[in-house]
Amino acid sequence: MAGQLSGAVSTRSSSRRAATLRLLRRRLIQAVPLMLGVVVINFVLIHLAPGNFLDVMTAENQVSDPATVELLRRTYGLDDPTWLQLVKYVWALLHLDFGFSYRQNMPVLQAIWVGLPATLLLMLSSITLAFAVGVSAGVVASTKVRTLWDTVVSVAAMFFFAAPSFWLGIMMIVLFAVKLGWLPVGGMATIGGGGGLLDILHHLILPTLALGLFYAAIYARVMRASMLEVAQLDFVRTARAKGLSRTRVTLSHVLRNALLPVVTILGVQMGTILAGSVVIESVFSWPGIGSLLFDSVSSRNYPVVLGIMVLGSLVVIAANIAVDLVYMWLDPRIEIR
């Protein structure tokens, strides 16, 4: 009997591993045409905009000689038709060549890599804060419905959801940096460029709060509603009828199933979190890719803009694949196709 049970468990585990591998294979195959579509759409939209980086470069360097301008145009391939430029760009991407940034005088990938760790750190810390605070607040509110705790969580969630992140960041700077002097305004050194761990954490607090509290408010409201819905299901009533404690029922039965909508929203919002981090970086002078993107758009440095969009799309796709895997872990009954 024990051998049969062990064999059944082993078979089920092998089946789950095989399902996970199939899911990863399907998602990676689907990612190829998706990324191609992202590249084509962004490339076309950017090239439909008036002007290009050559206009800015010649104006800044006061280059007016037509022969020189034409030479630069041929050098950067701007004399080719748009479709040919697109084909060349896609072919270069296949060789991990994102182009050259004339503004930073270095390859695009290298220019992005300088600020990418700081942006990823801000995103990770904000997501962690939002998920931890939002889920915890939602659980508390759902277990204390129509009490003071529920009211406090609901009011706080509505406030942080309604408050724009950049406005919240400015208010935090005024209060905690200017008035109280507890935290720095901004201007952190580039990660890996001399900033110590304590210095990074010191500068990270305000940007993380400004970006993370907005999403924490969303997760708190969704978690509260999901907890109340799951608590009415039959399997939860059965667990209570068996005499299990309220805490065990909440943590072992309700919480795990109620997390599914929150995980879904987290995967969908990865793109907006990345966009929000770019705005927050500008407010707090955070040395990520936000300032690089802003400068590249202003100077029409399109290779850098395209490179950031491509890498941002890769982050979103990877996050959604991770969400699918978390789904399968939270509820083994789910088979994602």
Side-chain angles (χ1 to χ4, degrees), residues 201-317:
L201 294 177
H202 201 214
H203 286 79
L204 186 63
I205 295 175
L206 288 183
T208 298
L209 289 173
L211 181 60
L213 288 177
F214 170 78
Y215 296 99
I218 298 175
Y219 301 155
R221 297 294 298 174
V222 173
M223 192 65 191
R224 178 184 182 276
S226 182
M227 288 282 292
L228 292 176
E229 181 181 354
V230 174
Q232 304 302 319
L233 298 180
D234 292 339
F235 74 91
V236 177
R237 294 195 185 114
T238 303
R240 290 173 182 153
K242 289 180 178 180
L244 299 179
S245 65
R246 183 178 181 181
T247 301
R248 185 174 178 182
V249 171
T250 300
L251 297 180
S252 301
H253 294 79
V254 181
L255 178 60
R256 185 165 181 168
N257 290 275
L259 278 173
L260 294 176
V262 178
V263 172
T264 302
I265 294 176
L266 176 61
V268 172
Q269 287 184 330
M270 282 303 301
T272 59
I273 293 174
L274 178 59
S277 66
V278 171
V279 175
I280 293 299
E281 286 176 13
S282 302
V283 174
F284 289 94
S285 301
W286 187 258
I289 62 175
S291 56
L292 176 63
L293 179 60
F294 180 81
D295 176 73
S296 299
V297 172
S298 302
S299 60
R300 294 178 175 80
N301 194 0
Y302 294 152
V304 174
V305 177
L306 276 170
I308 292 175
M309 289 180 175
V310 170
L311 290 180
S313 300
L314 286 174
V315 170
V316 173
I317 291 173

Side-chain angles (χ1 to χ4, degrees), residues 5 19 21 77 106 114 132 180-181 206 212 302 306 317 329:
L5 181 60
L21 291 176
M106 63 177 66
V114 173
L180 299 177
L206 288 183
Y302 294 152
L306 276 170
I317 291 173
W329 173 75

Side-chain angles (χ1 to χ4, degrees), residues 14-333:
S14 299
S15 177
R16 297 303 298 176
R17 284 197 297 269
T20 301
L21 291 176
R22 287 197 302 270
L23 172 65
L24 284 175
R25 184 167 58 250
R26 286 196 301 269
R27 289 295 182 265
L28 291 176
I29 293 174
Q30 293 169 0
V32 175
L34 179 59
M35 283 303 306
L36 179 60
V38 169
V39 171
V40 171
I41 292 174
N42 286 320
F43 188 93
V44 172
L45 289 178
I46 285 178
H47 281 74
L48 286 176
N52 53 58
F53 67 88
L54 186 59
D55 298 332
V56 178
M57 185 169 64
T58 53
E60 289 180 348
N61 294 277
Q62 298 181 350
V63 177
S64 57
D65 181 35
T68 303
V69 173
E70 185 60 29
L71 177 62
L72 291 173
R73 187 177 298 276
R74 288 198 302 269
T75 301
Y76 288 103
L78 298 178
D79 57 335
D80 294 329
T82 303
W83 68 267
L84 183 57
Q85 294 182 44
L86 174 59
V87 171
K88 289 182 177 180
Y89 184 74
V90 173
W91 179 252
L93 284 181
L94 294 176
H95 296 80
L96 298 181
D97 181 8
F98 284 71
F100 189 82
S101 171
Y102 82 92
R103 194 79 171 180
Q104 286 75 30
N105 196 29
M106 63 177 66
V108 169
L109 201 57
Q110 182 179 347
I112 295 175
W113 182 253
V114 173
L116 185 61
T119 296
L120 293 179
L121 175 62
L122 177 58
M123 288 181 61
L124 180 61
S125 61
S126 301
I127 292 171
T128 303
L129 172 72
F131 193 82
V133 173
V135 169
S136 301
V139 171
V140 170
S142 67
T143 56
K144 300 182 182 297
V145 180
R146 297 186 183 88
T147 64
L148 178 61
W149 286 104
D150 187 20
T151 303
V152 170
V153 170
S154 299
V155 172
M158 290 300 296
F159 172 77
F160 288 116
F161 178 76
S165 296
F166 68 89
W167 175 85
L168 188 60
I170 294 173
M171 294 301 102
M172 287 181 175
I173 290 175
V174 172
L175 178 60
F176 295 106
V178 178
K179 297 293 184 181
L180 299 177
W182 291 353
L183 296 168
V185 174
M188 190 198 75
T190 304
I191 294 179
L197 178 60
L198 291 179
D199 178 67
I200 293 175
L201 294 177
H202 201 214
H203 286 79
L204 186 63
I205 295 175
L206 288 183
T208 298
L209 289 173
L211 181 60
L213 288 177
F214 170 78
Y215 296 99
I218 298 175
Y219 301 155
R221 297 294 298 174
V222 173
M223 192 65 191
R224 178 184 182 276
S226 182
M227 288 282 292
L228 292 176
E229 181 181 354
V230 174
Q232 304 302 319
L233 298 180
D234 292 339
F235 74 91
V236 177
R237 294 195 185 114
T238 303
R240 290 173 182 153
K242 289 180 178 180
L244 299 179
S245 65
R246 183 178 181 181
T247 301
R248 185 174 178 182
V249 171
T250 300
L251 297 180
S252 301
H253 294 79
V254 181
L255 178 60
R256 185 165 181 168
N257 290 275
L259 278 173
L260 294 176
V262 178
V263 172
T264 302
I265 294 176
L266 176 61
V268 172
Q269 287 184 330
M270 282 303 301
T272 59
I273 293 174
L274 178 59
S277 66
V278 171
V279 175
I280 293 299
E281 286 176 13
S282 302
V283 174
F284 289 94
S285 301
W286 187 258
I289 62 175
S291 56
L292 176 63
L293 179 60
F294 180 81
D295 176 73
S296 299
V297 172
S298 302
S299 60
R300 294 178 175 80
N301 194 0
Y302 294 152
V304 174
V305 177
L306 276 170
I308 292 175
M309 289 180 175
V310 170
L311 290 180
S313 300
L314 286 174
V315 170
V316 173
I317 291 173
N320 280 274
I321 293 176
V323 165
D324 288 341
L325 297 178
V326 172
Y327 246 68
M328 297 176 67
W329 173 75
L330 287 174
D331 192 346
R333 298 171 300 175

